[in-house]
Amino acid sequence: MTEAIGIRRRSFASRVVGRGSVVWRMDWLLFGAVVALSAIGTLLVWSATRTWSSIEPTGMVKKHVLNLLIGLALYSAVAVTDYRWLRTYAPVLYGIAVIGLILVISPMGSTINGHHSWILLGGGFALQPAELMKPALVVILARLLAPTSEKGKTKDRPRAAGLALSVAAAGVAAALVMLQPDLGTTMVLMTTTGAIIVFSGIRKRWVVAGVLLTGLGAVAVWSLGLLKPYQVARFTALIDPSSDPRGVGYNSTQALVAIGSGEVFGKGLFHGGQTTGRFVPEQHTDFIFTVAGEELGFVGSVTVVALLGVVLLRGARIARMCGDRFSALVSAGIVAWLAFQTLVNVGMTIGIMPITGVPLPFVSYGGTATFANMTAIAILQAIHLRSRPV
């Protein structure tokens, strides 16, 4: 009897951690890079927020750690499931995200830091539906652009109707986000959409037409004055931030000062003068890379970028290994989303991108953003686990 129980226990242990198990086949390099980024981000958030309150200097970092734990729980739940359920429930996920964006612009929404992008949940927590739209848009676009025949096989090219519905789905999402207004997230959604459409295998003439229409649309938005004055000023300040260092160029100027003062090895964690003095706004979210630059220096900043590079490269590898177009488009969409968001966040702190409110993936403080990012990595893991032979 005892021997039988021992055999069953060994069998269970073998299923959990043995060769061919989920643990064995998981992409540990991808997961390790995300954990390392989260750990660094926690220290940077602590440094950026510890002077906010003399009573509870660790309040923000405690909330950040709680968000990470919830995010890891979501990761664990999604990573072990069959990713194919995403195809079935993609319209539901997209619909929920759209409803959330509609609620934000209704009286239920709340304004924080000039953006009407939040739904307050109480207890100091808030939900940002625009972040939930990122993974939802990825999966609905992948479904629309990877049509299947009656036998369940993926067709060679997306249909014109699927492309039209994809553009419409992205347009609805972008319009609702711009009403908040949130230009940064809109840029992320549009870039992700463009990447998925290109990777879907549509005809080249459609790609060219899409690029031309996008360019004409951007010109129209600019010419018709559809952007807010401060949004236009952020683009013009990119050319010469020193022209108005105390006005629209203030953020860019202070960000460059903070990063440059860190030199090679930084001033040391918790010893950054710009960070402690809060000269750069929103250093725990949009400008957290300035904390890394000042306190960890060039070496620390490169480490953060390198870890993000590992995440993107592993995601691209998973996309190449996919056995079906749907999972390949989902993977490519996630990589495009995280890559562009990283480029915008890091770029705006070093003066090569306009100032927009997008967090640095896995590093910045933020509840909903953390949940969305962890879910995206979990989807990559779920695809990876079922793209490799057992």
Side-chain angles (χ1 to χ4, degrees), residues 188-277:
V188 173
L189 294 177
M190 291 293 93
T191 301
T192 302
T193 299
I196 294 176
I197 289 176
V198 170
F199 287 129
S200 69
I202 65 171
R203 300 183 185 280
K204 293 182 180 179
R205 61 173 178 269
W206 290 2
V207 175
V208 174
V211 172
L212 292 176
L213 289 175
T214 301
L216 291 174
V219 172
V221 168
W222 185 276
S223 302
L224 296 175
L226 299 180
L227 295 177
K228 300 290 184 181
Y230 76 88
Q231 292 173 334
V232 174
R234 286 177 176 179
F235 279 97
T236 56
L238 176 64
I239 302 174
D240 185 15
S242 62
S243 62
D244 187 12
R246 294 188 178 183
V248 69
Y250 175 82
N251 292 354
S252 298
T253 302
Q254 293 300 321
L256 289 172
V257 170
I259 292 177
S261 66
E263 299 182 347
V264 179
F265 297 105
K267 298 178 179 178
L269 197 63
F270 307 130
H271 291 87
Q274 294 287 112
T275 300
T276 302

Side-chain angles (χ1 to χ4, degrees), residues 213-388:
L213 289 175
T214 301
L216 291 174
V219 172
V221 168
W222 185 276
S223 302
L224 296 175
L226 299 180
L227 295 177
K228 300 290 184 181
Y230 76 88
Q231 292 173 334
V232 174
R234 286 177 176 179
F235 279 97
T236 56
L238 176 64
I239 302 174
D240 185 15
S242 62
S243 62
D244 187 12
R246 294 188 178 183
V248 69
Y250 175 82
N251 292 354
S252 298
T253 302
Q254 293 300 321
L256 289 172
V257 170
I259 292 177
S261 66
E263 299 182 347
V264 179
F265 297 105
K267 298 178 179 178
L269 197 63
F270 307 130
H271 291 87
Q274 294 287 112
T275 300
T276 302
R278 299 184 66 185
F279 289 97
V280 182
E282 305 302 325
Q283 281 190 285
H284 63 306
T285 53
D286 301 341
F287 284 91
I288 199 166
F289 193 73
T290 64
V291 184
E294 181 181 25
E295 299 190 346
L296 305 181
F298 176 78
V299 174
S301 301
V302 169
T303 300
V304 171
V305 173
L307 288 170
L308 285 164
V310 170
V311 172
L312 298 177
L313 289 175
R314 299 305 290 183
R317 179 176 179 272
I318 291 171
R320 291 196 303 269
M321 293 174 60
C322 290
D324 63 277
R325 182 174 294 165
F326 173 76
S327 62
L329 290 181
V330 170
S331 301
I334 290 173
V335 172
W337 149 25
L338 296 177
F340 183 73
Q341 193 160 313
T342 297
L343 173 64
V344 171
N345 183 278
V346 175
M348 73 180 185
T349 63
I350 60 177
I352 63 173
M353 293 293 286
I355 302 296
T356 53
V358 294
L360 187 60
F362 312 109
V363 181
S364 294
Y365 173 89
T368 316
T370 297
F371 306 154
N373 293 335
M374 287 296 186
T375 300
I377 296 301
I379 293 172
L380 288 178
Q381 286 284 15
I383 293 172
H384 170 74
L385 291 171
R386 289 156 185 83
S387 297
R388 297 178 58 189

Side-chain angles (χ1 to χ4, degrees), residues 55-81:
I55 300 176
E56 184 56 72
T58 60
M60 293 292 289
V61 75
K62 286 180 179 178
K63 289 177 61 177
H64 184 64
V65 170
L66 177 59
N67 290 332
L68 286 175
L69 292 175
I70 297 174
L72 287 172
L74 288 171
Y75 167 89
S76 301
V78 174
V80 298
T81 60

